[in-house]
Amino acid sequence: MNSHLDPKLDLSFERIVDVPKKLVWKAWTQPEHLKPWFCPLPWKTIDCEIDLRPGGLFRTVMQSPEGEKFPGDGCYLEVIKNERLTWTNALLPGFRPAPTSNSVGLIDFLFTATIQLETHGTGTRYTVTVRHGDEAGFKQHVAMGFEQGWDKALDQLVALAKKI
Amino acid sequence: MNSHLDPKLDLSFERIVDVPKKLVWKAWTQPEHLKPWFCPLPWKTIDCEIDLRPGGLFRTVMQSPEGEKFPGDGCYLEVIKNERLTWTNALLPGFRPAPTSNSVGLIDFLFTATIQLETHGTGTRYTVTVRHGDEAGFKQHVAMGFEQGWDKALDQLVALAKKI
């Protein structure tokens, strides 16, 4: 699904990391492994629920350094073990459309994210693609610091994965 | 995915029809077979594109008796041959969120629809479930005549399927 990027709507991020893809997969799909790395510090992920199947819930609750909580609910679309994980906040579990008036505060634009993992030597080529529904959402995500945020979170993921 | 219906948000419709499920499946998944039955007459379906895989396009263009055209684009979510077909208009192909400002005129609420097929004697138990994102969409769909519309379209589908 990583073909057909639209430069006005899509963001992507790619890095080679020195952990095998099965550990990256674990870090993305098991709440106890996801919570330590998912938010760039000093933000924290204080809760996480994962129902790992198309139509299943992906829920995180992030907490700001000031203690404010930001829940985010999404729905998995593609779950291909050790290869590709896709979810969206445009749908809730059971593929139900998210209420259109639902602004969750921290991320109030719609997106679909895909994490693609490919073996690269003894490590992994890690590619993130985030598709937005309109240019306003795309620009908001850029302004939030998409690239730096995913880069820093990936550093944290790699450090965590080495301890799994 | 047919469990957990919410009576304030979900509509469902069930009928036993006297055609085997593989013909019902064909009528739903091949444009030349879908176009003759998909719209309750005197409305017509004048165009249809189907890319039958999760993330693929489901596009129809309906035409009113006055000749006005109403395109509707959606994205398949579940494609289980002869068993279950799920799509949503909350996403576009490649699972991209639909633009939030996109009102298509005829159906301007978000929904996810599932067609479930089960063998029943020599025929099929045909179950439609439509999930909405909010009560406004649910009410709009009821006011459009959800039950009568799907019932009449199913009569047309059965007549078509017997000729495949």
Side-chain angles (χ1 to χ4, degrees), chain A residues 10 95-97 100 112 132-134, chain B residues 10 95-97 100 112 132-133:
Chain A
D10 302 329
F95 300 121
R96 176 190 303 287
T100 48
T112 298
H132 301 84
D134 47 44
Chain B
D10 302 328
F95 300 121
R96 177 189 302 290
T100 47
T112 297
H132 301 83

Side-chain angles (χ1 to χ4, degrees), chain A:
Chain A
M1 300 308 309
N2 279 322
S3 52
H4 310 303
L5 289 186
D6 181 332
K8 289 185 176 172
L9 292 176
D10 302 329
L11 290 164
S12 70
F13 168 85
E14 185 183 313
R15 244 175 74 187
I16 309 290
V17 294
D18 64 346
V19 287
K21 59 187 191 174
K22 69 178 182 184
L23 291 183
V24 179
W25 182 262
K26 264 193 176 176
W28 262 103
T29 57
Q30 297 181 8
E32 72 273 26
H33 295 318
L34 183 139
K35 283 195 279 182
W37 71 263
F38 187 67
C39 258
L41 286 165
W43 284 64
K44 287 180 188 169
T45 306
I46 57 168
D47 198 10
C48 175
E49 281 179 62
I50 289 177
D51 179 8
L52 197 62
R53 59 189 174 92
L57 171 70
F58 179 37
R59 171 167 230 252
T60 56
V61 181
M62 303 193 210
Q63 185 175 277
S64 74
E66 294 75 32
E68 207 180 346
K69 294 180 177 67
F70 297 95
D73 282 14
C75 175
Y76 288 113
L77 298 168
E78 293 183 303
V79 178
I80 305 169
K81 192 175 176 180
N82 298 339
E83 300 284 340
R84 190 165 65 223
L85 188 64
T86 299
W87 76 98
T88 186
N89 68 347
L91 301 179
L92 297 179
F95 300 121
R96 176 190 303 287
T100 48
S101 57
N102 184 31
S103 167
V104 295
L106 185 63
I107 295 179
D108 61 359
F109 51 84
L110 298 178
F111 70 88
T112 298
T114 297
I115 310 296
Q116 179 86 37
L117 306 176
E118 290 157 282
T119 294
H120 183 91
T122 56
T124 302
R125 180 186 304 273
Y126 179 94
T127 309
V128 177
T129 308
V130 184
R131 291 176 166 79
H132 301 84
D134 47 44
E135 286 188 50
F138 168 86
K139 287 177 182 167
Q140 218 172 322
H141 210 165
V142 171
M144 277 178 73
F146 166 79
E147 177 114 17
Q148 305 92 303
W150 282 86
D151 198 50
K152 189 164 175 185
L154 182 55
D155 287 341
Q156 296 174 176
L157 183 156
V158 169
L160 178 282
K162 289 179 177 175
K163 286 188 262 170
I164 293 179

Side-chain angles (χ1 to χ4, degrees), chain B residues 114-132:
Chain B
T114 296
I115 310 297
Q116 178 86 36
L117 307 175
E118 290 157 282
T119 294
H120 183 91
T122 57
T124 302
R125 179 187 305 273
Y126 179 94
T127 310
V128 177
T129 308
V130 184
R131 291 177 167 77
H132 301 83

